[in-house]
């Protein structure tokens, strides 16, 4: 498959990409076996125990649970949701390599790749332009005054690349002449179309601008704040770029690129609600802080952070609105495998206000002491409802059980057991009573859901009646799937032989000639195994190379399934000690390539060769059954079929014929 780039350039990019460093930009990795293997939480499924393995020596990765796998290009394609050429370009830029012109690509894919590349370039240009506008000139005087009032240092302003858009509705349009066209500015979110359909207007006008960067520090969007004392009036104090192919609010966190190392080392992420709060924390030395982008914290955010941390501290204002927002958030995340804490700062202050009066170390101490999510909910209820009466304790218990019943994915978990026990101890209530209340609430919710589903079903399918499979088939309705019969022991034995033969080839690539002269890919039943064997044979036949690991990875062309299978085979071979088995003396001399354990190789090959002979015999019988001609009238195919039958019978009687 051609992806537009020459193979030499792709391999140059691969050679200049440290896969461990690349993956570590997205998840936290721990070294195993002296660094020959790294493990972390898989981002491709809801991973609770680290199951993604990164193999530096193999230049590839594999999840042992969901079987996601690939190389550096596949990783970027899956994480950033981009095409292969875009992944190559992204990694080339990361390695500071000059990117050659693409060949052999056109159409929509080429246009999408170009649009993304254009957007990155346009946004970087706009960032530099607005930085300059904030630093100098009369137009930025009001913005500079506001920055000074917020006590932001020059270093902080530079580090976060803050900027300012003058009060000019055509500023981007005028400055971009001769460099970018209106369509490029529109795709990047810098301008909008006028409601009349005639012309465009700039976004971010008269605002202090906060560039939003992705995990790699690339600008992907902007946030803007209306400035006091300016001439721009807006109902929205803050404005954020709309979502695009490179910007997704529900998955992205402000300042993560700057907070990553502090988050990883502290195993804690502090999440605040605004740009200024986040920046103030970093300036005060609290660097493991990120902010949401005008949205509530989502499950995607929590899953993302969980790859790096053990604890997430959500910071909300201490006023009533802040408390309500906190309670709405924590219910959704109770079942997440992360230590979720809620921090309400004293006197209703937000982090920026708090840090104007107190040092960053005080904020860190408060974050360490922040209550767990369930404890925060309980404390909130106790503040609103008195514990001094039986009725008060009953209300609190009921509301806590409603809270747990509504939390998705918590049922029957260890976390739920521990929370119930702790709540009952605080309220001095029997655990059995609490469990009964919780069970009744869940039962009631399930019945209500069932009723709603039945109502919906009756509305959409009023004349539905039960049918037999035969009736369904006649009417074109789908037939309910039946359980497949489990494979027989002989079938399982042959599949294991296919697997072990691949393990041998990947461990001892020199054996490929011995194998390919006896078996072909068509002799394999398992489709995935067949693809891998065909790749090994093609590398040898077409290019004259041995199917060594580097050659296989390059030839796999970032195919996730193939790369995952290669890693699975290598892991299994290592567990079985295939290299030691194949290096053992077999005691058989005079055989081709007698340096290998030919007895073991024969043991693996035998069931595969036997299956092939049975298939050939069956085909021969079918061919002969189709003709009633006498032996003298048989054609060459029919005569060959007779010879195959005779050979098979002879082998069955104990007179083996050498198999070709």
């Amino acid at each position: 498959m051609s992806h537009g780039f020459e193979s030499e350039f792709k391999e140059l990019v691969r050679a200049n990409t440290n896969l461990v460093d690349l993956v570590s930009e997205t998840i936290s990795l721990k070294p195993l076996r002296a660094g020959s293997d790294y493990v972390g939480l898989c981002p491709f499924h809801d991973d609770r125990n680290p199951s993604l393995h990164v193999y530096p020596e193999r230049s590839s990765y594999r999840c042992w649970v969901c079987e996601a796998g690939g190389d550096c290009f596949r990783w970027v394609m899956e994480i950033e949701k981009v095409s292969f050429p875009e992944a190559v370009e992204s990694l080339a830029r990361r390695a500071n390599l000059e990117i050659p012109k693409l060949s052999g690509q056109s159409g929509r894919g080429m246009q999408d790749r170009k649009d993304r590349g254009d957007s990155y370039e346009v946004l970087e240009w706009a960032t530099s332009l607005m930085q300059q506008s904030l630093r100098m000139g009369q137009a930025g005087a009001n913005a500079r005054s506001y920055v000074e009032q917020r006590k932001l240092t020059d270093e902080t302003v530079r580090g976060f690349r803050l900027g300012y858009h003058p009060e000019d509705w055509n500023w981007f349009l005028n400055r971009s002449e001769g460099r970018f066209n209106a369509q490029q500015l529109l795709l990047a979110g810098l301008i909008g179309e006028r409601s009349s359909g005639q012309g465009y207007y700039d976004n971010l006008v008269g605002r202090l601008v906060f560039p939003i960067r992705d995990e790699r520090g690339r600008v992907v969007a902007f946030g803007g704040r209306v400035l006091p004392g300016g001439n721009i009036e807006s109902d929205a104090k803050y404005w954020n770029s709309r979502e695009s192919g490179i910007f997704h609010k529900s998955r992205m966190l402000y300042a993560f690129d700057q907070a990553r190392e502090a988050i990883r080392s502290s195993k804690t992420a502090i999440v605040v609600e605004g740009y200024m709060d986040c920046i103030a924390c970093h300036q005060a030395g609290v660097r493991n802080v990120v902010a949401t982008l005008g949205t509530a914290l989502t499950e995607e955010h929590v899953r993302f952070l969980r790859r790096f941390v053990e604890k997430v501290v959500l910071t909300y204002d201490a006023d009533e609105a802040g408390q309500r927002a906190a309670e709405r958030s924590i219910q959704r995340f109770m079942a997440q495998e992360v230590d979720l804490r809620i921090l309400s700062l004293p006197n209703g202050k937000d982090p920026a206000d708090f840090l104007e009066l107190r040092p960053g170390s005080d904020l860190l101490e408060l974050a360490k002491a922040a209550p767990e999510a369930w404890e925060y909910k309980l404390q909130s209820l106790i503040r609103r409802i008195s514990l001094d009466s039986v009725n008060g304790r009953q209300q609190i218990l009921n509301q806590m059980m409603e809270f747990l019943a509504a939390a998705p994915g918590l049922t029957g978990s260890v976390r739920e057991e521990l929370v119930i026990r702790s709540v009952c101890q605080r309220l001095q209530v029997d655990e059995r009573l609490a469990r009964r209340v919780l069970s009744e609430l869940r039962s009631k919710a399930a019945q209500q859901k069932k009723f709603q589903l039945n109502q919906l079903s009756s509305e959409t399918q009023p004349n539905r009646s039960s049918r037999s499979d035969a009736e369904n088939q006649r009417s074109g309705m789908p037939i309910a799937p039946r359980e497949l019969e489990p494979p027989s022991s002989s079938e399982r034995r042959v599949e294991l032989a296919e697997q072990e033969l691949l393990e041998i080839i990947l461990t001892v690539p020199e054996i490929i000639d011995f194998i390919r002269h006896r078996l072909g890919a068509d002799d394999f039943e398992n489709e995935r195994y067949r693809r891998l064997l065909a790749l090994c044979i093609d590398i040898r036949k077409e290019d004259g190379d041995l199917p060594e690991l580097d050659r296989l990875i390059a030839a796999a062309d970032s195919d996730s399934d193939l790369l995952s299978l290669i890693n699975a085979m290598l892991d299994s071979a290592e567990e079985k000690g295939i290299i030691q088995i194949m290096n053992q003396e077999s005691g058989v001399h005079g055989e081709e390539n007698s340096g290998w354990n030919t007895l073991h190789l024969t043991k693996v090959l035998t069931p595969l060769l036997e299956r092939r002979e049975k298939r050939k015999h069956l085909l021969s019988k079918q061919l002969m059954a189709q003709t009633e001609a006498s032996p003298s009238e048989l054609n060459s195919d029919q005569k060959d079929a007779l010879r195959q039958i005779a050979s098979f019978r002879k082998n069955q009687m104990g007179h083996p014929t050498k198999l070709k």
Side-chain angles (χ1 to χ4, degrees):
M1 182 194 314
S2 172
H3 290 296
F5 288 108
E6 296 294 333
S7 58
E8 290 82 0
F9 180 69
K10 288 185 283 188
E11 293 313 305
L12 177 64
V13 173
R14 192 196 309 276
N16 280 274
T17 300
N18 183 309
L19 186 61
V20 173
D21 290 346
L22 176 67
V23 174
S24 293
E25 292 176 358
T26 306
I27 64 173
S28 185
L29 293 175
K30 294 181 180 178
L32 300 176
R33 297 185 297 180
S36 62
D37 179 5
Y38 289 77
V39 66
L41 290 172
C42 178
F44 307 117
H45 75 280
D46 190 15
D47 201 2
R48 304 300 175 95
N49 295 305
S51 56
L52 184 90
H53 288 252
V54 180
Y55 307 96
E57 294 176 1
R58 304 178 193 171
S59 299
S60 54
Y61 64 90
R62 173 201 171 210
C63 175
W64 288 19
V65 174
C66 71
E67 288 295 333
D71 56 5
C72 57
F73 304 117
R74 176 59 59 177
W75 179 265
V76 174
M77 290 167 70
E78 296 295 338
I79 292 297
E80 299 187 11
K81 306 301 179 189
V82 296
S83 66
F84 183 87
E86 288 174 294
V88 175
E89 285 193 11
S90 176
L91 290 175
R93 283 192 293 268
R94 185 175 180 273
N96 295 316
L97 297 174
E98 185 178 349
I99 302 172
K101 289 185 178 180
L102 276 173
S103 61
Q105 193 183 49
S106 60
R108 182 64 188 170
M110 183 66 172
Q111 187 60 47
D112 288 345
R113 184 194 64 78
K114 184 178 184 304
D115 288 345
R116 287 174 187 263
D118 286 350
S119 290
Y120 285 124
E121 187 179 351
V122 170
L123 292 169
E124 180 59 34
W125 164 80
T127 301
S128 298
L129 196 65
M130 289 186 285
Q131 278 185 283
Q132 184 179 4
S133 174
L134 177 62
R135 283 198 310 269
M136 58 188 67
Q138 185 58 37
N142 187 38
R144 288 193 294 274
S145 175
Y146 177 78
V147 167
E148 289 171 7
Q149 289 172 24
R150 298 305 300 256
K151 299 181 180 178
L152 299 183
T153 65
D154 289 344
E155 182 183 1
T156 296
V157 171
R158 285 195 304 273
F160 284 87
R161 304 191 68 185
L162 302 188
Y164 173 68
H165 187 304
E167 296 177 353
D168 178 351
W169 294 96
N170 295 300
W171 192 64
F172 281 142
L173 288 161
N174 294 333
R175 292 299 186 97
S176 64
E177 284 184 11
R179 182 164 188 171
F180 303 112
N181 58 43
Q183 185 61 27
Q184 289 173 309
L185 299 183
L186 187 66
L187 282 172
L190 295 181
I191 62 173
E193 291 186 86
R194 296 189 182 278
S195 56
S196 63
Q198 301 296 315
Y200 303 92
Y201 62 89
D202 280 14
N203 291 317
L204 298 165
V205 175
R207 294 177 185 263
L208 180 68
V209 178
F210 305 85
I212 298 166
R213 297 181 289 200
D214 65 11
E215 298 159 34
R216 295 197 194 165
R218 298 175 298 188
V219 178
V220 294
F222 295 109
R225 189 198 192 283
V226 168
L227 292 170
N231 298 313
I232 302 299
E233 294 183 4
S234 174
D235 294 334
K237 184 164 70 172
Y238 281 94
W239 180 91
N240 287 315
S241 297
R242 57 177 168 75
E243 293 205 339
S244 68
I246 60 175
F247 174 53
H248 306 278
K249 293 180 186 178
S250 62
R251 298 205 300 260
M252 203 161 282
L253 291 163
Y254 181 69
F256 179 79
D257 61 310
Q258 291 174 283
R260 182 195 291 111
E261 290 309 315
I263 284 174
R264 183 180 285 138
S265 60
S266 67
K267 298 293 181 186
T268 301
I270 300 174
V271 182
V272 298
E273 295 184 280
Y275 301 115
M276 291 302 299
D277 288 335
C278 182
I279 292 171
C281 289
H282 279 255
Q283 182 169 284
V286 185
R287 303 193 183 280
N288 58 332
V289 179
V290 293
T292 51
L293 297 165
T295 66
L297 194 72
T298 67
E299 289 189 44
E300 284 187 272
H301 286 139
V302 175
R303 281 197 294 270
F304 173 75
L305 288 172
R306 206 181 66 200
R307 301 176 204 161
F308 298 91
V309 302
E310 297 168 358
K311 183 193 295 184
V312 175
V313 181
L314 305 185
T315 307
Y316 289 94
D317 294 344
D319 58 18
E320 187 174 345
Q323 289 186 30
R324 297 290 184 188
E327 290 180 32
R328 284 195 302 271
S329 292
I330 61 181
Q331 188 168 289
R332 295 199 305 272
F333 308 132
M334 274 294 295
Q336 293 280 356
E337 293 293 326
V338 67
D339 182 3
L340 187 65
R341 306 293 183 104
I342 307 296
L343 172 60
S344 289
L345 294 173
N347 303 320
K349 293 186 180 297
D350 60 31
D353 294 336
F354 178 86
L355 291 168
E356 279 190 18
L357 303 173
R358 313 247 309 254
S361 57
D362 284 2
L363 181 62
L364 284 172
E365 287 303 315
L366 287 173
K368 286 179 184 177
E372 292 183 64
W374 70 267
E375 174 73 18
Y376 177 86
K377 172 69 174 178
L378 182 59
Q379 289 176 5
S380 299
L381 290 173
I382 291 172
R383 281 194 296 270
R384 293 198 293 266
I385 305 170
S386 174
L387 268 178
D388 295 338
S389 66
V390 172
N391 183 57
R393 288 205 298 272
Q394 183 176 347
Q395 284 187 57
I396 294 172
L397 176 66
N398 288 341
Q399 289 194 38
M400 282 301 297
M401 293 306 104
E402 287 174 4
F403 171 72
L404 294 179
L410 197 60
T411 307
S413 66
V414 174
R415 185 179 293 267
E416 180 183 82
E417 290 292 310
L418 294 172
V419 171
I420 291 173
R421 188 172 304 166
S422 299
V423 169
C424 290
Q425 287 173 354
R426 292 285 300 278
L427 298 179
Q428 297 181 347
V429 174
D430 192 316
E431 283 185 42
R432 289 172 294 182
L433 172 62
R435 294 181 199 283
R436 187 169 74 241
V437 171
L438 182 59
S439 177
E440 289 171 357
L441 286 167
R442 283 189 172 138
S443 177
K444 184 178 178 180
Q447 288 174 3
Q448 188 175 4
K449 186 175 181 181
K450 185 176 180 181
F451 174 74
Q452 290 170 344
L453 287 172
N454 287 339
Q455 264 197 325
L456 181 63
S457 179
S458 63
E459 288 170 5
T460 55
Q461 298 182 23
N463 299 317
R464 185 179 176 185
S465 61
S466 59
R467 302 166 179 247
S468 67
D469 280 356
E471 289 173 325
N472 285 340
Q473 192 170 26
R474 284 195 297 273
S475 65
M477 293 290 286
I479 299 173
R482 294 184 173 86
E483 274 191 39
L484 296 174
E485 293 184 11
S488 66
S489 58
S490 61
E491 289 173 337
R492 180 63 182 148
R493 176 171 166 255
V494 173
E495 184 169 346
L496 288 172
E498 291 181 359
Q499 175 182 327
E500 187 148 336
L501 190 63
L502 286 170
E503 291 167 359
I504 290 171
I505 293 171
L506 265 60
T507 306
V508 190
E510 302 83 17
I511 212 164
I512 187 63
D513 287 331
F514 184 87
I515 301 295
R516 71 186 182 94
H517 291 146
R518 288 158 177 78
L519 281 176
D522 290 341
D523 292 316
F524 271 29
E525 187 74 26
N526 185 297
E527 174 62 28
R528 296 179 76 216
Y529 296 173
R530 188 188 306 147
R531 285 186 68 208
L532 182 52
L533 180 60
L535 183 66
C536 293
I537 291 173
D538 285 347
I539 287 172
R540 187 58 170 164
K541 284 177 64 178
E542 303 296 329
D543 304 326
D545 297 332
L546 293 173
E548 294 175 327
L549 183 58
D550 290 348
R551 189 66 186 83
L552 274 172
I553 289 173
D557 214 11
S558 296
D559 186 300
S560 178
D561 187 56
L562 270 176
L563 290 167
S564 178
L565 181 58
I566 289 168
N567 277 313
M569 290 294 174
L570 289 168
D571 289 335
S572 179
E574 193 172 319
E575 277 186 32
K576 293 177 184 176
I578 292 292
I579 187 68
Q580 289 82 11
I581 293 172
M582 291 305 296
N583 284 333
Q584 288 173 1
E585 283 294 330
S586 65
V588 178
H589 300 284
E591 289 282 341
E592 177 184 5
N593 299 310
S594 60
W596 305 316
N597 187 337
T598 48
L599 284 178
H600 181 72
L601 189 56
T602 301
K603 179 182 174 183
V604 174
L605 281 170
T606 296
L608 301 173
L609 295 171
E610 286 177 350
R611 180 178 62 185
R612 183 178 66 182
E613 288 304 304
K614 286 179 182 178
R615 284 177 175 172
K616 288 168 69 176
H617 172 62
L618 181 62
L619 286 172
S620 298
K621 285 181 67 176
Q622 290 172 345
L623 181 61
M624 291 306 300
Q626 292 171 6
T627 179
E628 297 178 357
S630 64
S632 61
E633 298 172 334
L634 296 178
N635 60 32
S636 59
D637 288 341
Q638 292 163 341
K639 289 178 182 179
D640 185 57
L642 273 176
R643 283 194 290 271
Q644 294 286 349
I645 293 171
S647 173
F648 181 77
R649 296 291 188 198
K650 193 172 182 181
N651 288 339
Q652 282 190 318
M653 296 171 63
H655 303 287
T657 302
K658 186 174 181 181
L659 300 175
K660 299 290 184 187

